[in-house]
């Protein structure tokens, strides 16, 4: 059965309880992203998205990833990633390397200076995450939150050919 609405069908409106849950989710995620952004700007001079890019590079073999993979991880356009990498390069935290096997491709590489910045930023960031999320939830709530977010993410992860994906733009 196809659950997608067509223009001829009436929308399946949210119940009062679903509306309450949805609005709470939107409110909390907006506040959480702002909280993380402000903490990282104050303590490390970077927005949350840049921190995430540095973490992904630090976790990658040889601290390097193809730019397209990094854009896919961050769920951002190649143009936005290119702008972010340019800023990180200017700070000396990342450098670009050409790809030998694909003349159009490039790698983003976390520099030693970038790794040092990340190591200095991590304690404050983990404290902010702990204070904002984990210290407020019981172990059971933490487990439920993880399971729920995994289900939501899996349902939104596009897997059809030709999907409109930011990192392909």
């Amino acid at each position: 059965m196809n659950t997608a609405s067509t223009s001829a069908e009436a929308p399946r409106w949210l119940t009062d309880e679903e509306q309450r849950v949805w609005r709470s989710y939107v409110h909390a995620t907006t506040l959480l992203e702002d909280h993380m952004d402000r903490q990282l700007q104050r303590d490390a001079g970077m927005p949350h998205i840049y921190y995430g890019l540095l973490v992904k590079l630090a976790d990658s073999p040889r601290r390097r990833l193809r730019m397209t993979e990094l854009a896919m991880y961050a769920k951002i356009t190649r143009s936005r990633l290119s702008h972010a990498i340019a800023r990180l390069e200017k700070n000396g935290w990342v450098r670009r390397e050409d790809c030998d096997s694909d003349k159009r491709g490039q790698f983003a590489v976390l520099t030693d200076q970038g790794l040092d910045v990340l190591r200095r930023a991590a304690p404050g960031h983990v404290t902010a995450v702990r204070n904002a999320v984990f210290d407020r939830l019981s172990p059971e709530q933490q487990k439920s939150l993880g399971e729920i977010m995994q289900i939501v993410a899996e349902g939104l992860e596009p897997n059809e050919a030709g999907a409109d994906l930011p990192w392909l733009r």
Side-chain angles (χ1 to χ4, degrees), residues 38-58:
R38 284 185 292 112
Q39 178 272 317
L40 283 163
Q41 285 286 5
R42 180 186 64 242
D43 296 350
M46 73 177 89
H48 192 214
I49 191 162
Y50 289 11
Y51 181 85
L53 295 172
L54 296 180
V55 167
K56 185 63 177 174
L57 289 171

Side-chain angles (χ1 to χ4, degrees), residues 4 11 14 23 26 30 33 39 47 59 65 67 85 87 89 91 98 103 106 115 117 119 126-127 133-134 140 164:
L14 299 179
R23 288 179 181 179
V26 169
T30 301
E33 185 60 32
Q39 178 272 317
D59 289 344
L65 263 182
M67 292 283 283
I85 294 299
R87 295 275 308 272
E89 278 182 304
N91 291 341
D98 290 331
K103 296 301 178 197
Q106 283 190 319
L115 186 59
V117 166
R119 285 181 177 148
V126 77
T127 297
V133 179
F134 293 100
E140 296 80 20
D164 182 23

Side-chain angles (χ1 to χ4, degrees), residues 130-164:
R130 239 180 221 300
N131 291 340
V133 179
F134 293 100
D135 290 349
R136 298 172 185 272
L137 301 175
S138 70
E140 296 80 20
Q141 290 171 320
Q142 292 174 26
K143 184 176 188 251
S144 293
L145 179 63
E147 291 169 351
I148 290 165
M149 297 289 62
Q150 184 65 37
I151 290 167
V152 171
E154 287 171 0
L156 294 172
E157 200 68 50
N159 56 11
E160 68 274 356
D164 182 23

Side-chain angles (χ1 to χ4, degrees), residues 57 60-70 81 85 89 94-102 104-110:
L57 289 171
S60 299
R62 297 176 41 210
R63 298 187 327 220
R64 66 198 303 254
L65 263 182
R66 291 281 302 254
M67 292 283 283
T68 50
E69 283 183 72
L70 196 52
L81 177 66
I85 294 299
E89 278 182 304
V94 171
R95 73 174 180 276
R96 293 181 212 225
E97 290 180 357
D98 290 331
C99 178
D100 292 335
S101 63
D102 177 1
R104 296 175 302 160
Q106 283 190 319
F107 288 94
V109 181
L110 182 65

